[in-house]
């Protein structure tokens, strides 16, 4: 199920990349403007295992924010706080990303690792504040520190004060251990539903004053519903009541539905058109990368999340 949570994070990243900027500012203590250009790069990485087998791994993010310099970032979304395998994956991903950007200066190859962080949806007393990777080279040791974000440490006030909207869908993890009680106790359930009403109301207000686009609002609420459906799938009353609050906003990813059906709202049309063109461009680049690596057309389409008609139309 963990990869389903990853999908929610990637959906927000791909459809509304500006939401990444406040998260980067919070984690890495940077000060990017919310208007800073952000470029997304293909998330699929071709990794060679110790057994010399090649595998495709999907990172949760691979992007560059352009400020006074061009800084590359890699953020992983992780629900299991006890897996050492994560550090292995991070090292594999970051090494591959560094190799993509390698340069030669006077016959010396230079590689630069991205700034990397882990978004822990769950954590416990043993979860560290940073993950460390030590690279040994004869007598030298290079230690990399991977920043850690513990989602459950952020209150709703923190999230809205710091514009950390990209972690809103995962706020439900704060309530994970109480979901069974909510499903049985109407009063306790009402407390949770009031929280969702507050969140949706705040998002509507931010949209009205122009601090969130319509697409961003739709994307956040859809991702909230998606994550809730996964974490509370055994608790029908919880899902039904929460869906009453959020389902009135959108019954599916309405923004994209409006795009497909021709738009009735001119402002939203322009907004979505730009976002979806960017998404198609990124998908086409992912498709080309896969084909160049010798993958089949079917696998390339699956990884790029494109349809054959998209390829035929854009590459004709």
């Amino acid at each position: 199920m963990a990869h389903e949570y990853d999908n929610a994070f990637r959906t927000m990243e791909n459809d509304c990349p500006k939401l990444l900027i406040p998260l980067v500012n919070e984690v890495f203590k940077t000060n990017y403007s919310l208007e800073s250009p952000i470029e997304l790069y293909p998330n699929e990485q071709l990794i060679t295992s110790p057994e010399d087998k090649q595998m495709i791994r999907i990172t949760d993010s691979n992007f560059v924010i352009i400020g006074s310099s061009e800084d590359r970032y890699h953020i992983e979304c992780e629900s299991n706080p006890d897996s050492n395998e994560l550090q292995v994956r991070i090292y594999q991903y970051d090494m591959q990303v560094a190799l993509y950007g390698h340069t030669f200066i006077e016959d010396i190859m230079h590689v630069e690792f991205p700034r990397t962080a882990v978004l822990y949806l769950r954590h416990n007393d043993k979860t560290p504040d940073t993950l460390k990777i030590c690279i040994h080279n004869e007598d030298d040791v290079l230690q990399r520190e991977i920043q850690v974000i513990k989602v459950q440490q952020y209150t709703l006030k923190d999230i809205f004060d710091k514009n950390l909207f990209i972690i809103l869908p995962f706020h439900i993890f704060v309530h994970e251990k109480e979901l069974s009680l909510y499903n049985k106790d109407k009063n306790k359930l009402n407390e949770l539903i009031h929280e969702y009403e507050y969140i949706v109301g705040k998002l509507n207000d931010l949209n009205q004053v122009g601090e969130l686009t319509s697409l961003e609002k739709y994307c956040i609420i859809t991702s909230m519903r998606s994550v809730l459906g996964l974490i509370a799938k055994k608790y029908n009353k919880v899902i039904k009541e929460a869906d009453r609050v959020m389902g009135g906003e959108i019954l599916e990813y309405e923004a994209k539905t409006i795009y497909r059906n021709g738009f009735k709202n001119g402002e939203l049309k322009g907004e979505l058109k730009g976002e979806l063109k960017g998404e198609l461009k990124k998908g086409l680049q992912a498709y080309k990368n896969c084909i160049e690596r010798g993958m089949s057309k079917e696998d390339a389409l699956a990884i790029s999340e494109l349809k054959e008609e998209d390829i035929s139309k854009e590459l004709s």
Side-chain angles (χ1 to χ4, degrees):
M1 183 183 292
H3 70 280
E4 299 293 345
Y5 299 133
D6 301 345
N7 289 342
F9 182 80
R10 282 196 291 266
T11 294
M12 288 185 290
E13 173 207 356
N14 290 334
D15 292 354
C16 307
K18 293 288 187 180
L19 297 180
L20 289 165
I21 294 177
L23 181 63
V24 167
N25 284 341
E26 170 69 10
V27 177
F28 296 96
K29 309 308 176 189
T30 50
N31 192 31
Y32 294 110
S33 161
L34 296 181
E35 302 307 314
S36 297
I38 183 167
E39 297 178 356
L40 303 181
Y41 287 82
N43 287 7
E44 77 284 352
Q45 308 292 342
L46 188 63
I47 304 295
T48 302
S49 72
E51 295 79 23
D52 204 31
K53 295 180 180 179
Q54 289 192 324
M55 308 170 290
I56 293 237
R57 291 279 182 86
I58 308 297
T59 63
D60 290 336
S61 65
N62 177 13
F63 60 96
V64 167
I65 299 178
I66 302 173
S68 57
S69 59
E70 295 189 9
D71 302 315
R72 186 176 295 274
Y73 292 92
H74 166 210
I75 299 177
E76 285 294 310
C77 182
E78 180 69 23
S79 61
N80 180 7
D82 298 318
S83 173
N84 289 331
E85 177 65 22
L86 176 63
Q87 283 154 282
V88 175
R89 298 203 318 266
I90 284 176
Y91 180 76
Q92 290 176 323
Y93 299 157
D94 285 355
M95 178 62 77
Q96 194 64 47
V97 169
L99 284 173
Y100 284 152
H102 75 274
T103 57
F104 281 90
I105 302 175
E106 296 180 354
D107 295 328
I108 299 175
M109 187 176 82
H110 293 255
V111 293
E112 183 176 354
F113 282 87
R115 300 180 183 182
T116 303
V118 177
L119 190 75
Y120 273 124
L121 308 184
R122 300 181 179 98
H123 71 275
N124 54 45
D125 293 341
K126 296 181 180 179
T127 306
D129 293 327
T130 59
L131 300 178
K132 295 181 174 62
I133 298 175
C134 286
I135 303 169
H136 296 258
N137 178 32
E138 297 181 353
D139 295 330
D140 295 327
V141 177
L142 171 64
Q143 180 169 285
R144 294 200 70 219
E145 288 196 353
I146 311 302
Q147 300 302 312
V148 166
I149 315 110
K150 300 172 184 177
V151 168
Q152 295 183 56
Q153 289 184 339
Y154 287 86
T155 66
L156 281 179
K157 185 178 186 305
D158 294 332
I159 291 171
F160 281 104
D161 284 350
K162 298 180 178 184
N163 297 325
L164 297 173
F165 308 122
I166 200 166
I167 70 173
L168 263 178
F170 309 113
H171 180 69
I172 187 62
F173 279 85
V174 171
H175 301 283
E176 183 177 18
K177 295 179 180 178
E178 304 295 327
L179 289 174
S180 177
L181 174 61
Y182 297 156
N183 207 54
K184 298 173 184 176
D185 187 322
K186 185 175 181 180
N187 290 330
K188 295 298 291 183
L189 177 57
N190 284 339
E191 292 177 11
L192 177 66
I193 299 309
H194 289 329
E195 187 170 280
Y196 272 108
E197 290 173 340
Y198 170 79
I199 292 171
V200 172
K202 287 283 289 184
L203 294 176
N204 282 331
D205 291 343
L206 290 167
N207 176 236
Q208 288 294 318
V209 299
E211 292 186 26
L212 273 181
T213 67
S214 298
L215 177 60
E216 288 165 346
K217 184 188 76 168
Y218 290 142
C219 185
I220 293 165
I221 295 175
T222 303
S223 297
M224 286 169 57
R225 294 180 67 236
S226 174
V227 172
L228 176 69
L230 292 168
I231 198 173
K233 62 181 179 180
K234 297 179 181 178
Y235 308 113
N236 293 332
K237 290 181 181 178
V238 173
I239 291 179
K240 180 180 178 181
E241 287 302 304
D243 208 47
R244 176 178 59 80
V245 176
M246 295 182 288
E249 284 292 320
I250 36 177
L251 297 179
E252 61 171 330
Y253 199 167
E254 183 180 337
K256 289 185 178 179
T257 302
I258 294 172
Y259 177 78
R260 290 193 298 268
N261 293 341
F263 296 98
K264 294 182 180 179
N265 182 312
E267 179 183 353
L268 184 59
K269 177 177 179 179
E271 194 174 289
L272 285 175
K273 189 173 181 180
E275 294 286 352
L276 292 174
K277 278 186 176 179
E279 183 177 333
L280 177 59
K281 182 179 179 182
K282 187 165 73 71
L284 288 170
Q285 186 60 55
Y287 177 84
K288 292 177 183 177
N289 289 346
C290 292
I291 294 298
E292 289 172 359
R293 293 172 183 167
M295 295 179 62
S296 69
K297 184 176 181 179
E298 291 75 16
D299 288 342
L301 285 171
I303 287 174
S304 62
E305 298 182 348
L306 295 179
K307 297 178 181 179
E308 191 164 355
E309 52 263 36
D310 295 325
I311 302 298
S312 302
K313 180 179 179 181
E314 296 296 325
L315 300 183
S316 60

